[in-house]
């Protein structure tokens, strides 16, 4: 089977899976054989049929918590289930960037016993980037120029280390760069 893309859904459940919240979905900007892509298109969840199936799955097993569900999309746009991560994933940060911090909203919902419909935010589609990994794959391996990469980095609404409101992760990374190479 030839993979066209991958699709990840970020969210959480409460009440033993009876109530579900979908934050963001991600598709990969480029594919890497045997590896995940660190550069994504981020959109809101819209597939109600898939949402019903996922709710039924989580309710069947009684799962409460933060999750990520991943699918392979083949050349004819058929979705194939890959895995469910019953934990927060790195990609959950996309929901925070979209105004829906999943960890906070899950705890809030567990405390009240319900999901507040006002917690679901509308947002414009954006890109996010795990910039360290993306830089290594695309710039250091010669797939794009530094100028092209910087353009994509600047355009990304979400980055996993660089954040103007909290520079500590980026500063630490910069100071310890050689340890990561």
């Amino acid at each position: 089977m030839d993979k066209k893309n991958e699709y990840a859904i970020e969210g959480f459940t409460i009440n033993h899976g009876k109530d579900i919240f979908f934050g963001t979905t991600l598709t990969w900007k480029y594919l890497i054989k045997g590896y995940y892509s660190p550069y994504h298109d981020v959109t809101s969840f819209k597939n109600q049929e898939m949402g019903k199936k996922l709710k039924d799955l989580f309710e069947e097993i009684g799962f409460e918590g933060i999750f990520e569900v991943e699918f392979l999309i083949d050349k004819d746009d058929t979705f194939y289930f890959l895995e469910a991560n019953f934990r927060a994933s790195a990609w959950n940060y996309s929901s925070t960037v979209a105004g829906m911090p999943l960890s906070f909203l899950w705890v809030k919902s567990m405390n009240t016993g319900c999901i507040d419909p006002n917690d679901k935010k509308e947002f414009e589609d954006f890109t996010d980037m795990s910039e360290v990994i993306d830089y290594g794959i695309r710039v250091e391996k010669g797939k794009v120029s530094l100028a092209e990469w910087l353009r994509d980095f600047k355009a990304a609404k979400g980055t996993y280390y660089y954040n103007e409101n909290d520079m500590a992760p980026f500063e630490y990374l910069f100071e310890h760069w050689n340890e990561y190479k």
Side-chain angles (χ1 to χ4, degrees):
M1 172 184 321
D2 288 329
K3 175 170 62 172
K4 178 179 177 181
N5 210 321
E6 289 189 29
Y7 180 76
I9 303 167
E10 311 299 321
F12 67 84
T13 63
I14 63 168
N15 296 320
H16 306 288
K18 291 179 182 156
D19 298 308
I20 193 165
F21 181 93
F22 295 107
T24 54
T25 65
L26 296 88
T27 52
W28 302 172
K29 295 290 272 181
Y30 60 89
L31 301 177
I32 304 167
K33 187 173 178 132
Y35 201 66
Y36 61 88
S37 175
Y39 187 29
H40 316 109
D41 288 315
V42 180
T43 61
S44 61
F45 182 78
K46 297 176 184 79
N47 189 329
Q48 297 309 311
E49 181 182 340
M50 184 181 289
K52 168 90 172 78
K53 291 176 183 177
L54 289 173
K55 181 191 172 300
D56 291 346
L57 166 78
F58 290 127
E59 188 172 359
E60 171 87 16
I61 62 175
F63 176 72
E64 292 183 322
I66 299 169
F67 67 83
E68 176 192 51
V69 180
E70 297 179 13
F71 295 85
L72 176 147
I73 305 171
D74 78 1
K75 297 289 184 194
D76 69 356
D77 292 326
T78 301
F79 284 66
Y80 292 91
F81 175 79
L82 288 175
E83 67 180 339
N85 293 305
F86 299 106
R87 57 165 172 72
S89 81
W91 310 140
N92 285 162
Y93 184 61
S94 65
S95 291
T96 300
V97 173
M100 300 171 284
L102 296 179
S103 297
F104 173 80
L105 296 178
W106 176 66
V107 169
K108 175 184 166 188
S109 299
M110 289 293 290
N111 282 333
T112 63
C114 64
I115 296 172
D116 183 342
N118 294 318
D119 289 338
K120 181 69 177 167
K121 305 296 183 202
E122 297 298 322
F123 62 92
E124 289 187 31
D125 297 351
F126 62 91
T127 58
D128 76 355
M129 176 190 287
S130 181
E131 62 273 32
V132 175
I133 297 169
D134 191 66
Y135 179 86
I137 290 169
R138 293 200 298 149
V139 177
E140 290 182 348
K141 293 187 178 180
K143 296 181 185 296
V144 299
S145 70
L146 178 59
E148 289 173 290
W149 185 83
L150 285 170
R151 182 196 68 227
D152 292 341
F153 173 75
K154 287 173 143 182
K157 184 173 179 184
T159 52
Y160 287 76
Y161 289 90
Y162 182 81
N163 181 324
E164 290 178 1
N165 298 314
D166 180 7
M167 291 298 290
F170 185 76
E171 289 167 356
Y172 180 88
L173 176 68
F174 188 76
E175 290 171 13
H176 298 274
W177 181 248
N178 287 329
E179 298 169 29
Y180 289 92
K181 292 183 86 173

